[in-house]
Amino acid sequence: QVHLVESGGGLVQPGGSLRLSCVASVASGTLRINLMGWYRQTPGKQRELVASLNSGGIYNYADSAKGRFTISRDNAKNAVYLQMNSLKPEDTAVYVCNAEGQSYSSNRGFQRFNSWGQGTQVTVSS
């Protein structure tokens, strides 16, 4: 089972910045992560994509994130980051990390995964 752990959320004033981090890990074996991304969710709304980055270097940003947020990856660390600048109150949400790919272990071979983190709260308020 692939685990994702997020960090970096918190309370920030409008116009401020935060950097979210997410690291993927597996108890045994190795990971080949194809796609990593950030979603966000607010009460009463569907989870929405904020940004994603695949192993081919293709970026995908929500319109609300373009020009303000930057997604990046450190493949050696199985990590994805989201730099969020010029934050607005409407960015307030739980931000959830997602990763898709394959894991390999000697006893299980190759297995596909699509894993989610627990989420980290981002609150933008004065």
Side-chain angles (χ1 to χ4, degrees):
Q1 186 174 1
V2 177
H3 294 277
L4 302 181
V5 178
E6 302 106 329
S7 61
L11 173 64
V12 64
Q13 291 187 341
S17 299
L18 282 175
R19 185 174 186 253
L20 306 183
S21 301
C22 172
V23 178
S25 65
V26 63
S28 63
T30 59
L31 296 177
R32 180 187 299 172
I33 301 176
N34 297 326
L35 180 68
M36 298 191 85
W38 289 96
Y39 290 72
R40 66 187 182 188
Q41 189 158 20
T42 54
K45 291 186 178 181
Q46 283 190 333
R47 184 176 291 181
E48 63 173 359
L49 174 70
V50 177
S52 66
L53 176 58
N54 72 8
S55 56
I58 296 176
Y59 295 82
N60 187 21
Y61 288 98
D63 287 342
S64 59
K66 290 178 182 177
R68 300 188 300 128
F69 296 179
T70 302
I71 189 170
S72 60
R73 288 175 59 171
D74 185 334
N75 293 325
K77 296 180 180 180
N78 291 326
V80 63
Y81 309 97
L82 186 68
Q83 177 66 43
M84 303 186 294
N85 300 326
S86 303
L87 282 161
K88 305 174 182 179
E90 50 264 43
D91 294 318
T92 296
V94 175
Y95 285 70
V96 185
C97 177
N98 172 256
E100 299 177 20
Q102 287 185 319
S103 62
Y104 176 80
S105 63
S106 58
N107 58 331
R108 294 187 177 185
F110 288 100
Q111 289 188 314
R112 293 193 176 195
F113 68 87
N114 184 345
S115 297
W116 296 88
Q118 293 296 312
T120 184
Q121 176 70 44
V122 171
T123 302
V124 185
S125 175
S126 54

